[in-house]
Amino acid sequence: MPRILIRNLNDKVVTAKDNSISILNIIHESGIDWMHACGAKGRCTSCKMIVHEGLDKMGEDSEAEKRFRAMGRLKDNQRLACQNQLTADLEVSVAEENKFPHMNYSE
């Protein structure tokens, strides 16, 4: 099964048990608190992840991602965790503006 390495959470590795669900759900099922202000409906960018490795293995942008890119709210290396499924290993980071104050992030 594909894995997610979250760099700024002390290189935490999450292994997908079910890659038919969203990346956000995989992260949550692993006990990691990851922001999702709109309830994982693709209506905001609070679940965005910075993708360091594996971006080329992800599918096309969702309609929500296209809309946010056009508005300048998603950079080329950012994707919404609620709008994507895990198809290959990824290395990601939590975006600075979406970090929780109760979490301990690494550099």
Side-chain angles (χ1 to χ4, degrees), residues 14-96:
V14 174
T15 302
K17 296 178 183 103
D18 177 3
N19 64 348
S20 69
I21 61 176
S22 72
I23 291 171
L24 180 65
N25 284 338
I26 291 169
I27 291 169
H28 283 164
E29 284 184 355
S30 297
I32 298 170
D33 205 2
W34 194 282
M35 191 178 290
H36 60 294
C38 72
K41 294 182 173 81
R43 295 182 182 154
C44 69
T45 59
S46 65
C47 73
K48 77 178 156 190
M49 54 190 175
I50 300 166
V51 183
H52 304 286
E53 299 286 336
L55 189 62
D56 58 330
K57 306 274 192 296
M58 297 181 77
E60 296 287 320
D61 282 354
S62 69
E63 290 303 314
E65 290 171 317
K66 289 176 187 174
R67 187 173 62 253
F68 288 121
R69 274 194 215 293
M71 295 179 350
R73 292 183 55 193
L74 275 183
K75 296 178 183 172
D76 290 341
N77 68 333
Q78 296 176 333
R79 300 296 297 264
L80 298 180
C82 75
Q83 295 292 298
N84 289 279
Q85 293 178 310
L86 188 61
T87 58
D89 289 352
L90 290 179
E91 283 190 27
V92 302
S93 291
V94 179
E96 189 65 36

